[in-house]
Amino acid sequence: MERANFVAPIDILPLEDWLAFSDLPVIISGPCSAETERQMLETAVELVKIPQVKIFRAGIWKPRTRPGTFEGVGKKGLKWMQKVKQETGLLLTTEVANPEHVREALDHDIDILWIGARTVVNPFSIQEIGEAIGNADIPVLVKNPLNPDLKTWLGAIERLNQMGLKKLVAIHRGFSFFNRSPYRNAPMWEIPIELKRLYPGLPLFVDPSHICGNRELILPTTQKALDLEMNGLMIETHINPSKALTDKNQQITPAQLKEMLGKLVLRRESGGFEFEQKLEGLRTEIDKLDEELMEILARRMMVVEEIGKYKKANKITILQLKRWSQLMHERIETGVKMGLSREFILKLLESLHEEGIQRQINVMNQDDPL
Ligand code: PEP
Ligand code: MN
């Protein structure tokens, strides 16, 4: 992952300063798309029975990858949203992709705006949306861009913040990629983790529906996100998912959401004095082991350089494939016996080999003292 080495100072309001409820995680739920007034109301009436659900979502304007598919009901859906609020008291959020959407949403009592993955990639759009929001004191949820680029995500958040918006939340919805995978959008957890490291005060939610693309993976993915201390969830629900006009494989019923929430384990960041003491002991052990590991790695590299010098003196090539494949084979066998996974040993060895080769290249290229 490319690191963003420069971060602008951002001024973000903590969630509890603008949400009237304090239980975490915050849960946003509702259909991918507003389809009919009835679908909206039936879904919302079920959702409001789940105490943790406080915010209702629905896409009114749908950014579809290809034309010729359902592109959202448009403005009339906002009236249905208003009805949802009247009947359930849930807060409302919808996706905005241009200034006109912002104006319509603000005119229809939408409480929170969200900016989708396809819009976040474009700084011009973010600028226009920020300008259309102007002084309206409305929270904005910023999804990650389609491509795995932390800088674009950060850039959109920083831009909105510099335009005066302080009620901002980042939403992790996974990243487009080419390889086959069980996920619709690769989670690449290292990217939201890096975002959290850079901006610890910025609330970070997860949208497991768009990461997974199918119902089955939503529970484990949500659990993982909570274990990474994400502060909220956006989960798509539909009263009848098999009939949904968009994203039907990933939508669940409100009843399934309720069941799933019951299975989630909420782990705390801290577990009291005794727990902290025990943890401290184990962490000291890890620190010691890591130090030993560094020493061993440094010694290993010194031996590698010795070999490099010897090869150089005897005009032997650096890469010795036969030796390398034999070593891999033996190490994997030993490591697996010790309970390490094959994939882990492979990654580790490959990285050691790469560094070793680089060291030997340096040795080969060094001018010998006369
Ligand atoms: C959505 O939330 O329905 C949506 C279109 O999301 P994303 O922008 O993450 O694809
Ligand atoms: Mn969707």
Side-chain angles (χ1 to χ4, degrees), residues 32 210 236 247 250:
C32 176
H210 289 88
E236 288 184 341
D247 289 352
Q250 70 195 32

Side-chain angles (χ1 to χ4, degrees), residues 31-33 57 59 62-63 95 114-118 143-144 146 173 184-185 207 210 234 236 247 250:
C32 176
S33 301
R57 65 147 279 158
K62 295 307 294 178
E95 173 171 354
W114 96 70
I115 304 180
R118 289 157 192 79
K143 292 216 185 181
N144 64 257
L146 288 178
R173 50 79 76 203
R184 174 177 174 193
N185 289 293
D207 167 353
H210 289 88
M234 181 188 258
E236 288 184 341
D247 289 352
Q250 70 195 32

